[in-house]
Amino acid sequence: MSDSVRRFFNAWGDGDAEARMAVLNDVLADGVRYADPRLEEPLVGTAAVIGYVGQFSQMAPGAIAQIAGLETRDGITRATVEFIMADGQMQLGQYMIEADGAGQLTRLVGFKGTGA
């Protein structure tokens, strides 16, 4: 699953919409649920998540999301993610992530990180 998690967050900084969509379609399960502090309701389905990640790429050109820490226990992965803007500003996020048997991500729940 860690490869799918890394690929998911690496896609956030990909300015090529087709390449980003191909990666996200590969790593996300059909009924994926995605929630983070910026959303009032969780997103459901690959199209919704792909659209959300695409908005990040459009609204923050040159920004990236990179894994700062990754740990798995009892089928749940905790990822600490650095969202780094083109001007160097950074925001941390923590995600609890579940995947199916094929390694596709089925549920991601994000929280604001602490520090930095």
Side-chain angles (χ1 to χ4, degrees):
M1 172 174 29
S2 63
D3 183 53
S4 293
V5 173
R6 288 184 193 284
R7 291 178 65 210
F8 174 76
F9 286 107
N10 285 342
W12 286 63
D14 192 338
D16 180 335
E18 287 185 29
R20 182 176 57 247
M21 186 180 302
V23 168
L24 295 174
N25 272 317
D26 191 44
V27 301
L28 297 173
D30 287 336
V32 64
R33 292 180 59 84
Y34 176 88
D36 78 26
R38 296 183 188 271
L39 297 169
E40 289 185 29
E41 298 286 330
L43 301 173
V44 179
T46 54
V49 177
I50 288 170
Y52 186 72
V53 174
Q55 286 177 359
F56 174 84
S57 296
Q58 289 177 338
M59 298 181 90
I64 62 169
Q66 66 184 21
I67 302 289
L70 201 59
E71 180 179 13
T72 300
R73 180 179 176 152
D74 295 328
I76 308 252
T77 295
R78 179 179 66 183
T80 302
V81 180
E82 298 171 333
F83 294 92
I84 304 170
M85 301 300 123
D87 66 3
Q89 290 186 38
M90 181 181 69
Q91 181 178 5
L92 287 176
Q94 290 259 319
Y95 289 80
M96 301 304 162
I97 304 166
E98 297 174 347
D100 62 18
Q104 287 189 307
L105 309 180
T106 58
R107 186 170 181 225
L108 299 95
V109 179
F111 302 86
K112 287 183 183 176
T114 58

